[in-house]
Each structure stands twice: as C-alpha cells, then as structure tokens.
Amino acid sequence: FTMIADIYEIRKATFIYGIMNSIFTVLMSLSPLFGSVITEKFGWRGNYIAIAILSFISWICVIIFLPETSKNRTKLNVIKTLKSFTTIL
C-alpha cells in the first residue's frame, strides 16, 4: 500500500486501495475452495507446490513491472546491514 501512495495522487490511490481490498477479499473467500480442489487432485503437497509457483510468478512480476519508488536510493551495504542486526540482537 505504501508503494501506491508513493506513485499515485490521493484520489487515484484511494480508488486503487478499494480495488485491491475487493480483490483480496474475493481471493481470501475463494482460497479454501481452490485449496480443496488442489488437495483432491494432487494431495496435500499440491497446495505447497501451488504456493511456491504463485510466489515465483509474483516475484518475477515484481522484478519486471514494479518501478523503484524511492527518491533517495542507495546501494546495499552488507556490512552496515549486518551491524544493524547485531545492534538489534
């Protein structure tokens, strides 16, 4: 949702939020049906395979289609990131 706020104006963003929430609601209500069909056809492992495939497709779509929205983008500093984690721990 933050990316939408970064890209679109408030009016357009609220419209997109509504569409996204509608899609999420429909998909969440249909997911038990999809899961039961997958379980019937492929067994309980089929659900995990379906999630892995959908996750991979989503990841590829994000890499290809999602633009960078950060104005102050910096390169990843692995050492600095690891030091931050040690501070937290």
Side-chain angles (χ1 to χ4, degrees), residues 17 29 38 51-52 59 61 68 71 76 82 84-86:
Y17 291 150
S29 65
I38 291 170
I51 290 170
W59 179 64
C61 288
E68 177 60 55
K71 306 290 189 246
L76 176 65
L82 290 175
S84 296
F85 278 119
T86 59

PDB file of all heavy atoms in Angstrom, residues 17 29 38 51-52 59 61 68 71 76 82 84-86:
ATOM      1  N   TYR A  17      -6.754   1.453  -3.694  1.00  0.00           N
ATOM      2  CA  TYR A  17      -6.895   0.735  -2.424  1.00  0.00           C
ATOM      3  C   TYR A  17      -8.209  -0.035  -2.372  1.00  0.00           C
ATOM      4  O   TYR A  17      -8.263  -1.185  -1.923  1.00  0.00           O
ATOM      5  CB  TYR A  17      -6.852   1.690  -1.230  1.00  0.00           C
ATOM      6  CG  TYR A  17      -5.511   2.336  -0.971  1.00  0.00           C
ATOM      7  CD1 TYR A  17      -5.450   3.594  -0.412  1.00  0.00           C
ATOM      8  CD2 TYR A  17      -4.319   1.697  -1.269  1.00  0.00           C
ATOM      9  CE1 TYR A  17      -4.243   4.208  -0.155  1.00  0.00           C
ATOM     10  CE2 TYR A  17      -3.105   2.302  -1.024  1.00  0.00           C
ATOM     11  CZ  TYR A  17      -3.075   3.560  -0.461  1.00  0.00           C
ATOM     12  OH  TYR A  17      -1.878   4.161  -0.213  1.00  0.00           O
ATOM     13  N   SER A  29     -11.799 -15.369   0.207  1.00  0.00           N
ATOM     14  CA  SER A  29     -13.009 -16.172   0.382  1.00  0.00           C
ATOM     15  C   SER A  29     -13.013 -17.389  -0.542  1.00  0.00           C
ATOM     16  O   SER A  29     -13.632 -18.403  -0.219  1.00  0.00           O
ATOM     17  CB  SER A  29     -14.254 -15.316   0.152  1.00  0.00           C
ATOM     18  OG  SER A  29     -14.302 -14.873  -1.187  1.00  0.00           O
ATOM     19  N   ILE A  38      -7.222 -28.413  -5.189  1.00  0.00           N
ATOM     20  CA  ILE A  38      -5.823 -28.822  -5.353  1.00  0.00           C
ATOM     21  C   ILE A  38      -5.523 -30.059  -4.514  1.00  0.00           C
ATOM     22  O   ILE A  38      -4.858 -30.992  -4.975  1.00  0.00           O
ATOM     23  CB  ILE A  38      -4.880 -27.655  -4.985  1.00  0.00           C
ATOM     24  CG1 ILE A  38      -4.996 -26.540  -6.020  1.00  0.00           C
ATOM     25  CG2 ILE A  38      -3.436 -28.131  -4.884  1.00  0.00           C
ATOM     26  CD1 ILE A  38      -4.295 -25.253  -5.644  1.00  0.00           C
ATOM     27  N   ILE A  51       1.557 -22.738  -3.988  1.00  0.00           N
ATOM     28  CA  ILE A  51       2.020 -21.506  -3.350  1.00  0.00           C
ATOM     29  C   ILE A  51       3.425 -21.149  -3.834  1.00  0.00           C
ATOM     30  O   ILE A  51       3.721 -19.984  -4.099  1.00  0.00           O
ATOM     31  CB  ILE A  51       1.973 -21.637  -1.810  1.00  0.00           C
ATOM     32  CG1 ILE A  51       0.518 -21.660  -1.344  1.00  0.00           C
ATOM     33  CG2 ILE A  51       2.739 -20.505  -1.129  1.00  0.00           C
ATOM     34  CD1 ILE A  51       0.336 -22.012   0.106  1.00  0.00           C
ATOM     35  N   ALA A  52       4.288 -22.149  -3.973  1.00  0.00           N
ATOM     36  CA  ALA A  52       5.647 -21.890  -4.464  1.00  0.00           C
ATOM     37  C   ALA A  52       5.615 -21.345  -5.884  1.00  0.00           C
ATOM     38  O   ALA A  52       6.333 -20.388  -6.207  1.00  0.00           O
ATOM     39  CB  ALA A  52       6.483 -23.171  -4.394  1.00  0.00           C
ATOM     40  N   TRP A  59       7.144 -12.917  -7.791  1.00  0.00           N
ATOM     41  CA  TRP A  59       8.491 -12.365  -7.680  1.00  0.00           C
ATOM     42  C   TRP A  59       9.003 -11.882  -9.043  1.00  0.00           C
ATOM     43  O   TRP A  59       9.539 -10.783  -9.158  1.00  0.00           O
ATOM     44  CB  TRP A  59       9.410 -13.425  -7.084  1.00  0.00           C
ATOM     45  CG  TRP A  59      10.833 -13.017  -6.933  1.00  0.00           C
ATOM     46  CD1 TRP A  59      11.322 -12.034  -6.134  1.00  0.00           C
ATOM     47  CD2 TRP A  59      11.946 -13.571  -7.616  1.00  0.00           C
ATOM     48  NE1 TRP A  59      12.695 -11.955  -6.267  1.00  0.00           N
ATOM     49  CE2 TRP A  59      13.098 -12.892  -7.168  1.00  0.00           C
ATOM     50  CE3 TRP A  59      12.084 -14.605  -8.536  1.00  0.00           C
ATOM     51  CZ2 TRP A  59      14.365 -13.201  -7.633  1.00  0.00           C
ATOM     52  CZ3 TRP A  59      13.352 -14.910  -8.991  1.00  0.00           C
ATOM     53  CH2 TRP A  59      14.468 -14.209  -8.545  1.00  0.00           C
ATOM     54  N   CYS A  61       7.147 -11.000 -11.618  1.00  0.00           N
ATOM     55  CA  CYS A  61       6.346  -9.824 -11.997  1.00  0.00           C
ATOM     56  C   CYS A  61       6.826  -8.569 -11.276  1.00  0.00           C
ATOM     57  O   CYS A  61       6.873  -7.490 -11.866  1.00  0.00           O
ATOM     58  CB  CYS A  61       4.867 -10.064 -11.721  1.00  0.00           C
ATOM     59  SG  CYS A  61       4.105 -11.218 -12.862  1.00  0.00           S
ATOM     60  N   GLU A  68      10.971   1.439  -9.227  1.00  0.00           N
ATOM     61  CA  GLU A  68      11.529   1.908  -7.954  1.00  0.00           C
ATOM     62  C   GLU A  68      10.830   3.208  -7.569  1.00  0.00           C
ATOM     63  O   GLU A  68      10.700   4.109  -8.379  1.00  0.00           O
ATOM     64  CB  GLU A  68      13.031   2.149  -8.095  1.00  0.00           C
ATOM     65  CG  GLU A  68      13.689   2.690  -6.860  1.00  0.00           C
ATOM     66  CD  GLU A  68      13.548   1.776  -5.665  1.00  0.00           C
ATOM     67  OE1 GLU A  68      13.925   0.600  -5.769  1.00  0.00           O
ATOM     68  OE2 GLU A  68      13.035   2.237  -4.630  1.00  0.00           O
ATOM     69  N   LYS A  71      13.066   7.903  -3.699  1.00  0.00           N
ATOM     70  CA  LYS A  71      13.783   9.028  -4.293  1.00  0.00           C
ATOM     71  C   LYS A  71      15.260   9.009  -3.891  1.00  0.00           C
ATOM     72  O   LYS A  71      16.118   9.438  -4.633  1.00  0.00           O
ATOM     73  CB  LYS A  71      13.157  10.353  -3.841  1.00  0.00           C
ATOM     74  CG  LYS A  71      11.673  10.456  -4.095  1.00  0.00           C
ATOM     75  CD  LYS A  71      11.363  10.567  -5.573  1.00  0.00           C
ATOM     76  CE  LYS A  71       9.903  10.890  -5.769  1.00  0.00           C
ATOM     77  NZ  LYS A  71       9.135   9.882  -6.395  1.00  0.00           N
ATOM     78  N   LEU A  76      23.161  -1.275  -1.522  1.00  0.00           N
ATOM     79  CA  LEU A  76      23.118  -2.139  -0.348  1.00  0.00           C
ATOM     80  C   LEU A  76      24.522  -2.289   0.229  1.00  0.00           C
ATOM     81  O   LEU A  76      25.459  -2.659  -0.477  1.00  0.00           O
ATOM     82  CB  LEU A  76      22.554  -3.511  -0.717  1.00  0.00           C
ATOM     83  CG  LEU A  76      22.535  -4.547   0.387  1.00  0.00           C
ATOM     84  CD1 LEU A  76      21.601  -4.109   1.497  1.00  0.00           C
ATOM     85  CD2 LEU A  76      22.131  -5.893  -0.156  1.00  0.00           C
ATOM     86  N   LEU A  82      24.469  -5.942   8.454  1.00  0.00           N
ATOM     87  CA  LEU A  82      24.759  -6.950   9.474  1.00  0.00           C
ATOM     88  C   LEU A  82      25.042  -6.313  10.830  1.00  0.00           C
ATOM     89  O   LEU A  82      24.633  -6.841  11.865  1.00  0.00           O
ATOM     90  CB  LEU A  82      25.931  -7.822   9.029  1.00  0.00           C
ATOM     91  CG  LEU A  82      25.648  -8.763   7.856  1.00  0.00           C
ATOM     92  CD1 LEU A  82      26.911  -9.480   7.427  1.00  0.00           C
ATOM     93  CD2 LEU A  82      24.548  -9.757   8.188  1.00  0.00           C
ATOM     94  N   SER A  84      23.728  -3.567  11.875  1.00  0.00           N
ATOM     95  CA  SER A  84      22.417  -3.152  12.374  1.00  0.00           C
ATOM     96  C   SER A  84      21.699  -4.329  13.039  1.00  0.00           C
ATOM     97  O   SER A  84      21.052  -4.171  14.077  1.00  0.00           O
ATOM     98  CB  SER A  84      21.561  -2.592  11.242  1.00  0.00           C
ATOM     99  OG  SER A  84      22.128  -1.434  10.719  1.00  0.00           O
ATOM    100  N   PHE A  85      21.807  -5.513  12.437  1.00  0.00           N
ATOM    101  CA  PHE A  85      21.168  -6.683  13.027  1.00  0.00           C
ATOM    102  C   PHE A  85      21.813  -7.038  14.364  1.00  0.00           C
ATOM    103  O   PHE A  85      21.117  -7.423  15.312  1.00  0.00           O
ATOM    104  CB  PHE A  85      21.247  -7.890  12.083  1.00  0.00           C
ATOM    105  CG  PHE A  85      20.187  -7.889  11.027  1.00  0.00           C
ATOM    106  CD1 PHE A  85      20.527  -7.853   9.685  1.00  0.00           C
ATOM    107  CD2 PHE A  85      18.839  -7.917  11.357  1.00  0.00           C
ATOM    108  CE1 PHE A  85      19.549  -7.847   8.705  1.00  0.00           C
ATOM    109  CE2 PHE A  85      17.859  -7.909  10.402  1.00  0.00           C
ATOM    110  CZ  PHE A  85      18.221  -7.878   9.071  1.00  0.00           C
ATOM    111  N   THR A  86      23.120  -6.934  14.465  1.00  0.00           N
ATOM    112  CA  THR A  86      23.761  -7.243  15.745  1.00  0.00           C
ATOM    113  C   THR A  86      23.370  -6.245  16.823  1.00  0.00           C
ATOM    114  O   THR A  86      23.275  -6.594  17.987  1.00  0.00           O
ATOM    115  CB  THR A  86      25.304  -7.291  15.598  1.00  0.00           C
ATOM    116  OG1 THR A  86      25.767  -6.031  15.113  1.00  0.00           O
ATOM    117  CG2 THR A  86      25.743  -8.390  14.663  1.00  0.00           C
TER     118      THR A  86
END
